[in-house]
Amino acid sequence: MSVSRFLPFLLVAVLAGGAFAQAPAPTPLPDKPEVAPPPTPEAPVPVGAKAWILMDHVSGQVLAGEKIDEPLNPASITKVMTSYVVAAEVAAGRASLDDMVKISENAWRQGGAGTDGSYSALEVNTEVKLDDVLHGLVIQSGNDAAIALAEHLAGTEAAFVDMMNAYASKLGMTGSNFENAHGLTAEGHLMTARDIATLSRALINHFPEHYALYKIKEFTYNGIQQYNRNGLLWKDDSVDGLKTGHTSAAGYCLAASAKRGDQRLVSVVLGIDTNSRNEGFRLREQGNLALLNWGFRHFETHSVYGAGDQVAEHPIWRGAADVVSLGVTEALLVTVPRGRYGDLKPSMDVPRQLTAPVAKGQAIGTLRLSLDGKVVAERPLVALAEVAEGGFFKRMSDDFWLWWESE
């Protein structure tokens, strides 16, 4: 019998309500339990490093580190400062990428092929386009390129070093001092891990087009092809800088930066001491990559307040207005362990009584954000608008109430 012949009987049975039993209603699933974020594991300590740091690029928060403020020999990581100065001078119009840079005998002798350091194959007494010399500095880590650029921008390397130290001071690099433009060992030539991370953030933020040089894997000049010494460029596509360094005094060093999605981190590993070149390369790369992976896995950055956003209102006495709006002058960003943003505790330190006049931008107090009792971000609270003195009767009235409250 065909299926079509059964249809009338099926319809009758269904309408009658007794031919077929209804399927039982499904049992509702229990609500998904809320699971608290697991504790953040300890950061992976780079093997053999004298100092190291992991910093969030956007917020500038230190996520982990050891001896981050100990001044150490930075070797060729120095060239990040050299390239920052060059980029700043080009941006200011005091130099051009099209400038022709004279390769002096000093640059050739002190930083060329006759030395033990890295070089860019620049021929003595020739003129080379500044952009090519800059490529040699960043990609090939050329000591000759560093000296040639210093002499071109400042006349002498010593004068350029003064510029390096001045720029470092403006960036808040309080633990660093430069004695040359290339990073070969010199007494008093020192940088801290924190300062290197701070400089790296500044370079990426201030001169992104210049920073793009740091991800180029190889550069050929004068018939000589040389490769970027940052091996992480080949091992992780999210890594796009920064700089390696090695001397017998400094050990093996590496500053690295990577971007995954909207998040960027900066890591620095300094002072790995080993007689094996291959082991030195391996340890500095493994140390940085482990830190970057740990940071991306366990931390997230949030924007809490934008520049000029109102954080609170504070009563004001003797003023044309009764309250003044308080806020932050710069965006407040905070980096916290993943899933812990809702656990942040805000607090404000403001005067109990505030009297007019108050100028726009005047510092009134301090805003703090804490997690588990530890302050993770702190910013000045400022007046977002001017509050002038009130009229005579307003001042008299407020003076009376201020007296009354003081009794």
Side-chain angles (χ1 to χ4, degrees), residues 6 16-17 92 94 244 255 276 282 287 349 354 386 403:
F6 277 109
R94 292 185 287 268
T244 62
S276 169
R282 177 179 63 82
D349 182 9
L354 184 63
E386 176 187 5
W403 170 81

Side-chain angles (χ1 to χ4, degrees), residues 16 18-19 42 91 124 127 144 195 208 264 311 328 343-344 359 361 377 383 400-401 406-407:
E42 294 293 326
V124 65
E127 290 189 343
D144 50 352
D195 282 355
R264 178 183 286 280
V311 175
V328 289
D343 297 330
L344 284 171
F400 170 77
W401 289 112
S406 67
E407 289 298 309

Side-chain angles (χ1 to χ4, degrees), residues 68 137 197 214 405:
I68 64 175
L137 174 81
Y214 282 83
E405 285 192 357

Side-chain angles (χ1 to χ4, degrees), residues 335-346:
T335 305
V336 295
R338 291 195 179 277
R340 299 293 311 279
Y341 178 65
D343 297 330
L344 284 171
K345 305 296 183 185

Side-chain angles (χ1 to χ4, degrees), residues 49 130 149 157 165 193 198 200 209 214 238 256 291 340 398:
L130 187 145
L149 287 167
E157 185 180 3
N165 286 315
T198 297
S200 301
E209 292 183 1
Y214 282 83
S238 69
L291 286 172
R340 299 293 311 279
D398 283 0

Side-chain angles (χ1 to χ4, degrees), residues 55-61 200-202 204-205 257 264-266:
M55 181 180 285
D56 183 82
H57 170 76
V58 174
S59 68
Q61 280 181 237
S200 301
R201 289 183 65 226
I204 296 166
N205 282 338
S257 182
R264 178 183 286 280
L265 300 175
V266 175

